[in-house]
Amino acid sequence: RHKFWETQPVGQFRDAADTSLPDGPIEPPTPLSEVRADPYPLPAAFEWLTCDLDDDALLADLYSLLAHNYVEDDENMFRFNYSPAFLRWALKPPSFFRAWHIGVRAKESKKLVAFISGVPARIRARDDVVRMAEINFLCVHKKLRSKRLAPVLIREVTRRVHQENIWQAAYTAGVVLPTPITTCRYWHRSLNPKKLIDVGFSRLGPRMTMSRTVRLYKLPDAPLTPGFRRMELRDVAAVTRLLRAYLAKFVVAPDFDEVDVEHWLLPQEDVVDSYLVESPETHEVTDFCSFYTLPSSVLNNANYATLKAAYSYYNVSTKTPLQQLMNDALIVAKQKNYDVFNALDVMENEPFLKELKFGPGDGQLHYYLYNYRIRNGIKPSELGLVLL
Ligand code: YNC
Ligand code: MG
């Protein structure tokens, strides 16, 4: 059934019942001298291109490849539209490897036709902190689909990850592959219901009018929690402490240090936003919330070209109830003109999703680890990892 994936060190569907297989790495590392030295061969018309994302022209080419060929919803109404600034942020974290930004271009026209990327991360599974690659932005131009190019891209990124003496990876996909560690659902909270209905993202509920719907999703003009403010550079140490303590509760979660937090959570306009609660009395940072910005192109709509979406990222509550904190996140997202706020049912999200008028989406998001077995999988609420 899976000609490629059956050859890879991932949990195989046929092993699901085998209770003798231990959790942890599936294969041991091989000596670096045995890692294949040359890139995998591509069809003759194409060549590999290690991408320099500091090159604005190359970044524009990558943006355009993804804007036209990356992930769409099941009904092909929307397509992710990651911004150039977002791509730079997502692909250049601390100690990133340029060799893991892998393009394929046509030899003759030099046109970028496919891409795959990895970034380094430390991810903890139970009490094992593992150096991994987070693999993302696998994309093959629409005209080159179903030609088995994807397995070549995956093998090549795997080779380049192995060259750095890293043997595990984490990734998410909307498709079912062998074998998810967990399967999550996106929930959506309307901020601009009229536009969402106009573009076909949501529908008017039964016995609902537009004006009742607008009223239903109305939010206060400003955050309600005293001491709620945007995160700044001086907050990195406090946020890191909060986040590390919180993520320790989950079975699979990133192992963030201050350098990671500065990169992944310090606000960057229209890329990532983070807020915290600083106690007006003690000036202690007690709570934290964040979201990233990922618009979607609206395909075939006369009135609108894009939806502005916020995606819940990492949130920590120790004093402000999580639901109140997330309500404030919705309020600032509305202030900043987002149309919708999305969140997965990971970590402790499920209770607030229901209370804060999120509705369940249709697609599912499957989480995977490469060369690392977690035998019975985990529940979404045991997962503390959000990939972009
Ligand atoms: C996918 N999303 O099953 P089998 S997510 C992984 N992730 O192999 P072909 C995928 N594998 O089943 P196409 C996949 N989608 O025969 C398909 N596959 O064993 C598998 N879409 O290849 C598929 N981006 O080239 C099959 O298919 C084989 O031309 C078929 O290309 C696929 O970034 C794709 O959804 C997805 O651009 C590139 O459809 C194309 O269709 C496309 O004939 C729109 O491929 C955009 C899209 C995927 C977003 C993502 C995470 C990717 C993870 C890749 C796996 C990483 C493994 C770890 C590597 C490092 C290891 C270390 C250490
Ligand atoms: Mg192909």
Side-chain angles (χ1 to χ4, degrees):
R1 283 235 10 271
H2 289 287
K3 271 264 171 312
F4 168 66
W5 280 109
E6 280 168 12
T7 69
Q8 298 297 301
V10 293
Q12 298 294 337
F13 295 139
R14 67 179 119 76
D15 296 337
D18 187 341
T19 55
S20 71
L21 298 169
D23 281 4
I26 294 170
E27 286 178 356
T30 54
L32 283 182
S33 59
E34 283 171 30
V35 176
R36 183 189 164 108
D38 311 312
Y40 284 91
L42 282 168
F46 302 103
E47 61 190 13
W48 295 110
L49 172 69
T50 294
C51 296
D52 178 0
L53 300 175
D54 293 327
D55 175 344
D56 288 335
L58 188 282
L59 184 65
D61 287 348
L62 173 60
Y63 166 76
S64 166
L65 171 72
L66 296 177
H68 295 105
N69 301 280
Y70 200 51
V71 176
E72 301 179 8
D73 66 302
D74 293 337
E75 277 126 55
N76 311 101
M77 296 174 69
F78 309 100
R79 191 188 303 123
F80 284 148
N81 185 8
Y82 288 91
S83 71
F86 189 110
L87 292 169
R88 223 170 232 158
W89 171 68
L91 294 175
K92 294 188 63 201
S95 314
F96 77 94
F97 299 102
R98 196 160 86 87
W100 295 6
H101 302 158
I102 307 172
V104 173
R105 62 181 177 178
K107 274 185 187 158
E108 199 149 311
S109 67
K110 305 292 179 200
K111 188 180 144 84
L112 186 66
V113 297
F115 186 77
I116 191 167
S117 66
V119 294
R122 291 180 315 281
I123 294 179
R124 182 181 50 75
R126 307 226 148 82
D127 46 23
D128 191 12
V129 177
V130 183
R131 292 174 73 216
M132 296 199 192
E134 292 176 352
I135 307 297
N136 204 350
F137 305 113
L138 166 61
C139 182
V140 169
H141 192 286
K142 289 191 176 205
K143 294 204 165 137
L144 295 171
R145 297 277 169 87
S146 306
K147 297 176 188 297
R148 311 300 297 184
L149 220 47
V152 184
L153 286 156
I154 295 167
R155 284 197 164 99
E156 181 61 15
V157 77
T158 302
R159 186 183 72 81
R160 296 186 191 198
V161 170
H162 287 170
Q163 285 182 319
E164 300 298 338
N165 199 23
I166 294 176
W167 305 89
Q168 271 74 33
Y171 50 104
T172 57
V175 295
V176 179
L177 306 164
T179 298
I181 59 162
T182 192
T183 295
C184 301
R185 183 177 294 280
Y186 269 111
W187 290 64
H188 311 285
R189 206 293 184 179
S190 298
L191 301 174
N192 186 355
K194 184 165 183 312
K195 175 172 168 184
L196 295 177
I197 290 167
D198 282 352
V199 301
F201 184 86
S202 41
R203 260 180 292 203
L204 211 51
R207 296 177 299 282
M208 284 293 276
T209 61
M210 189 61 84
S211 62
R212 275 194 69 195
T213 304
V214 168
R215 222 174 318 129
L216 175 67
Y217 291 116
K218 203 168 160 44
L219 288 161
D221 292 326
L224 304 176
T225 307
F228 187 90
R229 63 164 175 85
R230 203 172 153 101
M231 178 189 175
E232 297 173 19
L233 184 58
R234 63 185 162 102
D235 301 313
V236 165
V239 167
T240 305
R241 281 195 300 274
L242 269 183
L243 203 53
R244 289 188 63 83
Y246 184 62
L247 292 177
K249 298 189 189 186
F250 302 99
V251 178
V252 174
D255 181 65
F256 283 142
D257 63 16
E258 291 186 11
V259 176
D260 301 314
V261 166
E262 179 173 337
H263 179 82
W264 290 120
L265 294 163
L266 199 61
Q268 286 191 46
E269 190 68 18
D270 290 328
V271 173
V272 61
D273 277 283
S274 299
Y275 292 84
L276 50 77
V277 181
E278 176 182 332
S279 160
E281 295 87 40
T282 64
H283 296 284
E284 196 194 347
V285 176
T286 54
D287 312 277
F288 172 81
C289 63
S290 59
F291 55 86
Y292 62 85
T293 299
L294 168 49
S296 277
S297 302
V298 179
L299 311 176
N300 310 314
N301 184 279
N303 299 323
Y304 296 104
T306 54
L307 274 185
K308 190 174 177 190
Y311 285 75
S312 172
Y313 197 29
Y314 292 97
N315 311 304
V316 184
S317 110
T318 70
K319 235 171 143 221
T320 309
L322 185 59
Q323 184 179 318
Q324 180 183 331
L325 190 68
M326 295 312 294
N327 193 52
D328 283 338
L330 294 176
I331 292 167
V332 292
K334 175 66 188 173
Q335 276 180 324
K336 290 175 161 243
N337 223 18
Y338 289 82
D339 298 311
V340 61
F341 193 105
N342 300 324
L344 290 164
D345 53 359
V346 297
M347 295 181 260
E348 298 178 306
N349 291 359
E350 194 161 282
F352 79 68
L353 295 172
K354 291 172 181 162
E355 294 298 322
L356 295 177
K357 301 175 185 164
F358 286 72
D362 24 33
Q364 297 195 310
L365 187 67
H366 308 282
Y367 275 76
Y368 301 94
L369 295 179
Y370 183 94
N371 194 23
Y372 201 95
R373 185 185 293 109
I374 294 188
R375 239 192 29 86
N376 291 312
I378 61 175
K379 298 189 283 249
S381 60
E382 294 176 316
L383 181 67
L385 177 66
V386 177
L387 299 178
L388 304 172

PDB file of all heavy atoms in Angstrom, residues 198-220:
ATOM      1  N   ASP A 198     -19.205  34.946   3.727  1.00  0.00           N
ATOM      2  CA  ASP A 198     -19.119  35.391   2.324  1.00  0.00           C
ATOM      3  C   ASP A 198     -18.143  34.537   1.514  1.00  0.00           C
ATOM      4  O   ASP A 198     -18.405  34.232   0.352  1.00  0.00           O
ATOM      5  CB  ASP A 198     -18.662  36.858   2.247  1.00  0.00           C
ATOM      6  CG  ASP A 198     -19.812  37.824   2.562  1.00  0.00           C
ATOM      7  OD1 ASP A 198     -20.967  37.357   2.687  1.00  0.00           O
ATOM      8  OD2 ASP A 198     -19.534  39.039   2.690  1.00  0.00           O
ATOM      9  N   VAL A 199     -17.006  34.160   2.110  1.00  0.00           N
ATOM     10  CA  VAL A 199     -16.020  33.385   1.334  1.00  0.00           C
ATOM     11  C   VAL A 199     -16.270  31.884   1.403  1.00  0.00           C
ATOM     12  O   VAL A 199     -15.528  31.103   0.813  1.00  0.00           O
ATOM     13  CB  VAL A 199     -14.568  33.677   1.785  1.00  0.00           C
ATOM     14  CG1 VAL A 199     -14.222  35.159   1.626  1.00  0.00           C
ATOM     15  CG2 VAL A 199     -14.318  33.211   3.214  1.00  0.00           C
ATOM     16  N   GLY A 200     -17.299  31.468   2.130  1.00  0.00           N
ATOM     17  CA  GLY A 200     -17.631  30.045   2.208  1.00  0.00           C
ATOM     18  C   GLY A 200     -16.823  29.278   3.236  1.00  0.00           C
ATOM     19  O   GLY A 200     -16.819  28.052   3.249  1.00  0.00           O
ATOM     20  N   PHE A 201     -16.114  29.995   4.127  1.00  0.00           N
ATOM     21  CA  PHE A 201     -15.373  29.304   5.195  1.00  0.00           C
ATOM     22  C   PHE A 201     -16.345  28.748   6.231  1.00  0.00           C
ATOM     23  O   PHE A 201     -16.153  27.667   6.762  1.00  0.00           O
ATOM     24  CB  PHE A 201     -14.392  30.275   5.867  1.00  0.00           C
ATOM     25  CG  PHE A 201     -13.524  29.636   6.919  1.00  0.00           C
ATOM     26  CD1 PHE A 201     -12.334  29.022   6.559  1.00  0.00           C
ATOM     27  CD2 PHE A 201     -13.903  29.634   8.253  1.00  0.00           C
ATOM     28  CE1 PHE A 201     -11.524  28.412   7.525  1.00  0.00           C
ATOM     29  CE2 PHE A 201     -13.103  29.023   9.224  1.00  0.00           C
ATOM     30  CZ  PHE A 201     -11.916  28.414   8.855  1.00  0.00           C
ATOM     31  N   SER A 202     -17.381  29.519   6.534  1.00  0.00           N
ATOM     32  CA  SER A 202     -18.409  29.011   7.456  1.00  0.00           C
ATOM     33  C   SER A 202     -19.783  29.310   6.876  1.00  0.00           C
ATOM     34  O   SER A 202     -19.912  30.020   5.878  1.00  0.00           O
ATOM     35  CB  SER A 202     -18.239  29.602   8.846  1.00  0.00           C
ATOM     36  OG  SER A 202     -17.908  30.956   8.808  1.00  0.00           O
ATOM     37  N   ARG A 203     -20.795  28.755   7.492  1.00  0.00           N
ATOM     38  CA  ARG A 203     -22.164  28.941   7.027  1.00  0.00           C
ATOM     39  C   ARG A 203     -23.015  29.518   8.137  1.00  0.00           C
ATOM     40  O   ARG A 203     -22.748  29.284   9.325  1.00  0.00           O
ATOM     41  CB  ARG A 203     -22.757  27.601   6.578  1.00  0.00           C
ATOM     42  CG  ARG A 203     -22.713  27.444   5.063  1.00  0.00           C
ATOM     43  CD  ARG A 203     -23.288  26.128   4.654  1.00  0.00           C
ATOM     44  NE  ARG A 203     -22.406  25.044   5.110  1.00  0.00           N
ATOM     45  CZ  ARG A 203     -22.375  23.845   4.568  1.00  0.00           C
ATOM     46  NH1 ARG A 203     -23.184  23.550   3.568  1.00  0.00           N
ATOM     47  NH2 ARG A 203     -21.564  22.921   5.028  1.00  0.00           N
ATOM     48  N   LEU A 204     -24.032  30.220   7.746  1.00  0.00           N
ATOM     49  CA  LEU A 204     -24.989  30.729   8.704  1.00  0.00           C
ATOM     50  C   LEU A 204     -25.665  29.533   9.370  1.00  0.00           C
ATOM     51  O   LEU A 204     -26.129  28.621   8.689  1.00  0.00           O
ATOM     52  CB  LEU A 204     -26.015  31.585   7.943  1.00  0.00           C
ATOM     53  CG  LEU A 204     -26.672  32.759   8.644  1.00  0.00           C
ATOM     54  CD1 LEU A 204     -25.638  33.683   9.295  1.00  0.00           C
ATOM     55  CD2 LEU A 204     -27.513  33.545   7.639  1.00  0.00           C
ATOM     56  N   GLY A 205     -25.669  29.509  10.704  1.00  0.00           N
ATOM     57  CA  GLY A 205     -26.291  28.395  11.418  1.00  0.00           C
ATOM     58  C   GLY A 205     -27.789  28.359  11.171  1.00  0.00           C
ATOM     59  O   GLY A 205     -28.379  29.339  10.719  1.00  0.00           O
ATOM     60  N   PRO A 206     -28.406  27.196  11.453  1.00  0.00           N
ATOM     61  CA  PRO A 206     -29.852  27.086  11.288  1.00  0.00           C
ATOM     62  C   PRO A 206     -30.563  28.068  12.229  1.00  0.00           C
ATOM     63  O   PRO A 206     -30.148  28.240  13.369  1.00  0.00           O
ATOM     64  CB  PRO A 206     -30.156  25.629  11.651  1.00  0.00           C
ATOM     65  CG  PRO A 206     -28.964  25.148  12.408  1.00  0.00           C
ATOM     66  CD  PRO A 206     -27.791  25.994  11.991  1.00  0.00           C
ATOM     67  N   ARG A 207     -31.574  28.713  11.731  1.00  0.00           N
ATOM     68  CA  ARG A 207     -32.358  29.705  12.487  1.00  0.00           C
ATOM     69  C   ARG A 207     -31.501  30.882  12.957  1.00  0.00           C
ATOM     70  O   ARG A 207     -31.792  31.502  13.962  1.00  0.00           O
ATOM     71  CB  ARG A 207     -33.075  29.053  13.692  1.00  0.00           C
ATOM     72  CG  ARG A 207     -34.124  28.008  13.274  1.00  0.00           C
ATOM     73  CD  ARG A 207     -34.768  27.328  14.459  1.00  0.00           C
ATOM     74  NE  ARG A 207     -33.818  26.608  15.286  1.00  0.00           N
ATOM     75  CZ  ARG A 207     -33.314  25.405  14.970  1.00  0.00           C
ATOM     76  NH1 ARG A 207     -33.692  24.795  13.864  1.00  0.00           N
ATOM     77  NH2 ARG A 207     -32.432  24.826  15.769  1.00  0.00           N
ATOM     78  N   MET A 208     -30.429  31.165  12.227  1.00  0.00           N
ATOM     79  CA  MET A 208     -29.582  32.301  12.584  1.00  0.00           C
ATOM     80  C   MET A 208     -29.658  33.350  11.481  1.00  0.00           C
ATOM     81  O   MET A 208     -29.649  33.018  10.302  1.00  0.00           O
ATOM     82  CB  MET A 208     -28.115  31.853  12.738  1.00  0.00           C
ATOM     83  CG  MET A 208     -27.818  31.107  14.025  1.00  0.00           C
ATOM     84  SD  MET A 208     -27.966  32.145  15.482  1.00  0.00           S
ATOM     85  CE  MET A 208     -26.346  32.905  15.470  1.00  0.00           C
ATOM     86  N   THR A 209     -29.691  34.604  11.868  1.00  0.00           N
ATOM     87  CA  THR A 209     -29.564  35.692  10.900  1.00  0.00           C
ATOM     88  C   THR A 209     -28.130  36.195  10.957  1.00  0.00           C
ATOM     89  O   THR A 209     -27.385  35.886  11.895  1.00  0.00           O
ATOM     90  CB  THR A 209     -30.497  36.856  11.265  1.00  0.00           C
ATOM     91  OG1 THR A 209     -30.098  37.344  12.555  1.00  0.00           O
ATOM     92  CG2 THR A 209     -31.958  36.402  11.317  1.00  0.00           C
ATOM     93  N   MET A 210     -27.740  36.994   9.958  1.00  0.00           N
ATOM     94  CA  MET A 210     -26.384  37.559   9.963  1.00  0.00           C
ATOM     95  C   MET A 210     -26.204  38.435  11.204  1.00  0.00           C
ATOM     96  O   MET A 210     -25.165  38.370  11.862  1.00  0.00           O
ATOM     97  CB  MET A 210     -26.137  38.357   8.686  1.00  0.00           C
ATOM     98  CG  MET A 210     -24.700  38.799   8.516  1.00  0.00           C
ATOM     99  SD  MET A 210     -23.501  37.432   8.417  1.00  0.00           S
ATOM    100  CE  MET A 210     -23.611  37.027   6.672  1.00  0.00           C
ATOM    101  N   SER A 211     -27.184  39.237  11.535  1.00  0.00           N
ATOM    102  CA  SER A 211     -26.970  40.151  12.672  1.00  0.00           C
ATOM    103  C   SER A 211     -26.886  39.385  13.998  1.00  0.00           C
ATOM    104  O   SER A 211     -26.083  39.735  14.865  1.00  0.00           O
ATOM    105  CB  SER A 211     -28.043  41.242  12.718  1.00  0.00           C
ATOM    106  OG  SER A 211     -29.305  40.669  12.894  1.00  0.00           O
ATOM    107  N   ARG A 212     -27.651  38.307  14.132  1.00  0.00           N
ATOM    108  CA  ARG A 212     -27.509  37.483  15.351  1.00  0.00           C
ATOM    109  C   ARG A 212     -26.132  36.833  15.401  1.00  0.00           C
ATOM    110  O   ARG A 212     -25.519  36.704  16.464  1.00  0.00           O
ATOM    111  CB  ARG A 212     -28.572  36.374  15.373  1.00  0.00           C
ATOM    112  CG  ARG A 212     -29.914  36.814  15.958  1.00  0.00           C
ATOM    113  CD  ARG A 212     -30.797  35.607  16.266  1.00  0.00           C
ATOM    114  NE  ARG A 212     -30.285  34.799  17.376  1.00  0.00           N
ATOM    115  CZ  ARG A 212     -30.695  33.561  17.641  1.00  0.00           C
ATOM    116  NH1 ARG A 212     -31.607  32.963  16.881  1.00  0.00           N
ATOM    117  NH2 ARG A 212     -30.192  32.912  18.668  1.00  0.00           N
ATOM    118  N   THR A 213     -25.654  36.403  14.234  1.00  0.00           N
ATOM    119  CA  THR A 213     -24.344  35.747  14.170  1.00  0.00           C
ATOM    120  C   THR A 213     -23.237  36.731  14.550  1.00  0.00           C
ATOM    121  O   THR A 213     -22.339  36.405  15.337  1.00  0.00           O
ATOM    122  CB  THR A 213     -24.121  35.183  12.750  1.00  0.00           C
ATOM    123  OG1 THR A 213     -25.208  34.324  12.442  1.00  0.00           O
ATOM    124  CG2 THR A 213     -22.813  34.418  12.666  1.00  0.00           C
ATOM    125  N   VAL A 214     -23.323  37.944  14.011  1.00  0.00           N
ATOM    126  CA  VAL A 214     -22.324  38.964  14.327  1.00  0.00           C
ATOM    127  C   VAL A 214     -22.328  39.237  15.837  1.00  0.00           C
ATOM    128  O   VAL A 214     -21.275  39.325  16.478  1.00  0.00           O
ATOM    129  CB  VAL A 214     -22.583  40.258  13.509  1.00  0.00           C
ATOM    130  CG1 VAL A 214     -21.753  41.419  14.031  1.00  0.00           C
ATOM    131  CG2 VAL A 214     -22.289  39.996  12.027  1.00  0.00           C
ATOM    132  N   ARG A 215     -23.519  39.298  16.407  1.00  0.00           N
ATOM    133  CA  ARG A 215     -23.627  39.545  17.854  1.00  0.00           C
ATOM    134  C   ARG A 215     -23.038  38.381  18.661  1.00  0.00           C
ATOM    135  O   ARG A 215     -22.358  38.583  19.659  1.00  0.00           O
ATOM    136  CB  ARG A 215     -25.091  39.791  18.242  1.00  0.00           C
ATOM    137  CG  ARG A 215     -25.254  40.924  19.240  1.00  0.00           C
ATOM    138  CD  ARG A 215     -26.723  41.290  19.525  1.00  0.00           C
ATOM    139  NE  ARG A 215     -27.564  41.324  18.340  1.00  0.00           N
ATOM    140  CZ  ARG A 215     -28.737  40.685  18.220  1.00  0.00           C
ATOM    141  NH1 ARG A 215     -29.222  39.970  19.231  1.00  0.00           N
ATOM    142  NH2 ARG A 215     -29.447  40.767  17.104  1.00  0.00           N
ATOM    143  N   LEU A 216     -23.313  37.154  18.196  1.00  0.00           N
ATOM    144  CA  LEU A 216     -22.828  35.956  18.904  1.00  0.00           C
ATOM    145  C   LEU A 216     -21.303  35.975  19.062  1.00  0.00           C
ATOM    146  O   LEU A 216     -20.769  35.586  20.097  1.00  0.00           O
ATOM    147  CB  LEU A 216     -23.243  34.703  18.122  1.00  0.00           C
ATOM    148  CG  LEU A 216     -22.740  33.356  18.630  1.00  0.00           C
ATOM    149  CD1 LEU A 216     -23.378  33.014  19.987  1.00  0.00           C
ATOM    150  CD2 LEU A 216     -23.045  32.231  17.627  1.00  0.00           C
ATOM    151  N   TYR A 217     -20.599  36.433  18.012  1.00  0.00           N
ATOM    152  CA  TYR A 217     -19.129  36.375  18.031  1.00  0.00           C
ATOM    153  C   TYR A 217     -18.485  37.687  18.467  1.00  0.00           C
ATOM    154  O   TYR A 217     -17.265  37.807  18.457  1.00  0.00           O
ATOM    155  CB  TYR A 217     -18.620  35.969  16.642  1.00  0.00           C
ATOM    156  CG  TYR A 217     -18.952  34.533  16.307  1.00  0.00           C
ATOM    157  CD1 TYR A 217     -19.809  34.218  15.258  1.00  0.00           C
ATOM    158  CD2 TYR A 217     -18.421  33.488  17.066  1.00  0.00           C
ATOM    159  CE1 TYR A 217     -20.120  32.901  14.953  1.00  0.00           C
ATOM    160  CE2 TYR A 217     -18.729  32.175  16.770  1.00  0.00           C
ATOM    161  CZ  TYR A 217     -19.581  31.882  15.715  1.00  0.00           C
ATOM    162  OH  TYR A 217     -19.878  30.578  15.435  1.00  0.00           O
ATOM    163  N   LYS A 218     -19.289  38.653  18.863  1.00  0.00           N
ATOM    164  CA  LYS A 218     -18.755  39.962  19.275  1.00  0.00           C
ATOM    165  C   LYS A 218     -17.834  39.814  20.496  1.00  0.00           C
ATOM    166  O   LYS A 218     -18.053  38.975  21.355  1.00  0.00           O
ATOM    167  CB  LYS A 218     -19.922  40.899  19.607  1.00  0.00           C
ATOM    168  CG  LYS A 218     -19.544  42.359  19.506  1.00  0.00           C
ATOM    169  CD  LYS A 218     -20.768  43.271  19.541  1.00  0.00           C
ATOM    170  CE  LYS A 218     -20.337  44.675  19.937  1.00  0.00           C
ATOM    171  NZ  LYS A 218     -19.121  45.141  19.255  1.00  0.00           N
ATOM    172  N   LEU A 219     -16.779  40.611  20.525  1.00  0.00           N
ATOM    173  CA  LEU A 219     -15.805  40.549  21.627  1.00  0.00           C
ATOM    174  C   LEU A 219     -15.592  41.959  22.179  1.00  0.00           C
ATOM    175  O   LEU A 219     -15.791  42.948  21.473  1.00  0.00           O
ATOM    176  CB  LEU A 219     -14.474  40.018  21.106  1.00  0.00           C
ATOM    177  CG  LEU A 219     -14.428  38.529  20.763  1.00  0.00           C
ATOM    178  CD1 LEU A 219     -13.255  38.231  19.837  1.00  0.00           C
ATOM    179  CD2 LEU A 219     -14.345  37.672  22.037  1.00  0.00           C
ATOM    180  N   PRO A 220     -15.155  42.070  23.416  1.00  0.00           N
ATOM    181  CA  PRO A 220     -14.805  43.386  23.972  1.00  0.00           C
ATOM    182  C   PRO A 220     -13.706  44.057  23.139  1.00  0.00           C
ATOM    183  O   PRO A 220     -12.974  43.393  22.412  1.00  0.00           O
ATOM    184  CB  PRO A 220     -14.287  43.049  25.377  1.00  0.00           C
ATOM    185  CG  PRO A 220     -14.838  41.705  25.690  1.00  0.00           C
ATOM    186  CD  PRO A 220     -14.946  40.977  24.377  1.00  0.00           C
TER     187      PRO A 220
END
